[in-house]
Amino acid sequence: MLATLNAPISENSLQVVYEYPESLSPVVTHYCPGCTHGIAHRLLAEALDELGLREKTILVAPVGCSVFAYQYFETDGCEAAHGRAPAMATGLKRVQPDKIVVTYQGDGDLVSIGAAEILHAAARGENITTIFVNNAIYGMTGGQMAPTTLPGQKTTSSPFGRNTTMTGSPIRMSELLANLDGPAYIVRRSLHDVKNIRKAKKAIITALKVQMAGLGFSMVELLSSCPTNWGIQPEKALEWIEDNMVPYFPLGDYKVRDEVNGL
Amino acid sequence: MHQSFLLAGFGGQGVMFAGQLLAYAAMDEGLEVTWIPSYGPEMRGGTAHCYVVISDKKIGSPIVNNPDVVLAFNNPSFTKYEYLVATGGLLASNASLITQQSQRADITHLPVPATDIADEIGNLRLMNVIMLGAVVTAHGVLPLNSIKRALEGHLPAHRRDMLADNYTALERGAAFTSELFPVK
Amino acid sequence: MAKELLKGNVAIAEAALRAGLEAYFGYPITPQTELLEHLSRRMIQLNRVFLQAESEVASINMVYGAASAGVRTMTSSSSPGISLMQEGFSYIAASDVPCVVVDIMRGGPGLGNIQPSQGDYFQVTRSAGHGDYHPIVLAPASVQEAIDFTVLAFDLADKYRHLVMVAADGQIGQMMEPAELPPMRPIRAERPEWALTGAKDREKNIITSLFMQPEEEEAFNQQIQARLKVIKKNEQRWYEYLTEDADLLVIGFGTAGRIAYSAVEAAREKGLKVGLLRPQTLWPFPEDRLSELADQIRGCLVVEMNAGQMIDDVRLAVSGQVPVSFYGRMGGMIPMPDDILTAIEETLTRLYSAAGLPI
């Protein structure tokens, strides 16, 4: 180890093992410390690079913390109305089926206000890819209850903890959409540790391949952290995902059509 | 010349199509024309009606308070529209279904046993065309031949085999009127 | 091309297709459904995009997506559906993407009914959802105008990168008249340089309505306002009849306007000095011409199929120079020529007696 450190550094011995993805724009992040949106962005950018899709991709950003998602990607992009990203993506994709159209949506956007749009895009087997970031809370508006907020979880609009008698129980969207015939690929992954992050990236690559092959709707749900609005330290937030979210939102493959395995 | 027609009957009696035949015929004669239906739930089962306005000038309103000609295919239509016919106008009724006589002295009433005639031809659906033949002959604004050409041009594809029967219906209707009002 | 007997809804659909419509998204609602049905067949036959959306909310956002890709796209609906689309209109307005929306108005408020109405005048002319904006609004009064204005709508949308609405009512949608369709135009081969087509060999394109800095948002709004000013100057359209010597000017758009035409003819037969102004653009309202006419008339009679909405624009245009009276029907009731004639006679009587003139 010491010997290696003391050895003279020559040009030839340098290897690039890690670099900024071409599909990721060199901008300063606006996300909070410890937020996993940054990881999700990077995984999507790496996947686009590895599949050579940057020049044909159109990213549809949601309303929520990732409202500026289009600023982070070196692809064409747009900003949909709250919840309507799958509808806007449908318009974009139908008129140019040769392009890759990706929606990036949070839990408020996708599960609450945009429930109809995602459900019908999935049911139609719309050939788009959705990255669904589930952090069990409304981030941008300052920590209100989301449709994925866990029972008993305190938020600024459920100050006594989510009461499921009054507000219903969290919606498991991957399971729900997997019941439809339209989707080709629906999986849930988590961003709480390195092993799971690697699995998440593999899933994003598969989802994009599903779209490239024209197999239909694909979605990767990513369990994510929101230290700021959960009111806990970033490291603890990752543990909170594992301890609280994963049991309620089990990781796994909910819909993998046979053709997907051949990709 | 500016003439307004109101055609009314049960949904399924061919009210709309008879009105369209008038409209096509007027267009082919180089006249201005509008056709407007009642629409919505009443199309199914209830009383349906349409207005046709024919003019040699630009047409403003496609509907009128007092039509010059009313074709009543069923009882409710007769009851509802008899009093609306413009003074000096024509009220044609399907006498097979409508036994009432018009009480109005200021209009011409033309009762046509159209469903009976249709039955004689062998197809009850021809009632509307029989009524049209009778009215066009009594009214005189459009030649009977223009309706014939409209039938030829616009009878839906799946009813083409009924073209000859439609011609017969048109002529039977016309003949009924001619017997009633012999040419002076 | 020869004249055909065409239903308004079908004529609009076919005209849009011939104007180069590449993608249609819509949701069934009476009295515009024939429009959607016609395109469901024709667009597929021509290998273009037709999609029945899950709601009007989805329709307009699909249009937003297709418009962002730089193709000619449209949706159509009727009043309650147009209410649902307001959100999408606002985003489209703030993104400078061109598209066409057809509103075949029906009775309201609420679910109302399916009969013809002009109750959407405020809804279509005042803004596009929230924010400061006006769509260009074309108001046909016949099947032929419905065709011509649909084609014009696409051209204006592209010219100004603007939202253009064709606002008709159930009567125009449902009636048949002889009309001539335009020749089939080819689909546009090129996409505009701002379109989202993939950032290949160019900088990335972004379409957004989000401007977090108020300075930036204000500057963007100033751009919109500057464009609206140009549109207001260039695009005022109207139809005028027997106005030269008119003491009373009847003003109505769409169906109310064409029924008023019959009433004006009947009034002239009685020797009454009455003319007609029928706005063909509701925004921009033909205020310049109306302002000129206000110098030579004694009064206006506004006829609408609502409680009086366009009358606000008439009052603004005549700016107190002459009295403005109103005759309207609501809830899907259609004014009859005889009723408008009575209103004309009453209005003229008032105007003449106020001026001390013999009636």
Side-chain angles (χ1 to χ4, degrees), chain C residues 279-307:
Chain C
Q280 293 172 317
T281 48
L282 304 185
W283 204 96
F285 188 74
E287 58 188 30
D288 296 346
R289 180 57 185 151
L290 181 53
S291 172
E292 280 170 19
L293 286 168
D295 292 337
Q296 67 186 61
I297 55 174
R298 291 180 183 279
C300 298
L301 171 66
V302 175
V303 180
E304 296 184 73
M305 283 147 62
N306 57 40

Side-chain angles (χ1 to χ4, degrees), chain A residues 77-106:
Chain A
C78 57
E79 166 50 43
H82 199 15
R84 319 294 175 225
M88 194 173 187
T90 297
L92 281 159
K93 182 73 179 186
R94 291 273 177 144
V95 300
Q96 38 190 7
D98 57 323
K99 302 292 189 273
I100 296 295
V101 178
V102 179
T103 75
Y104 186 104
Q105 303 176 255

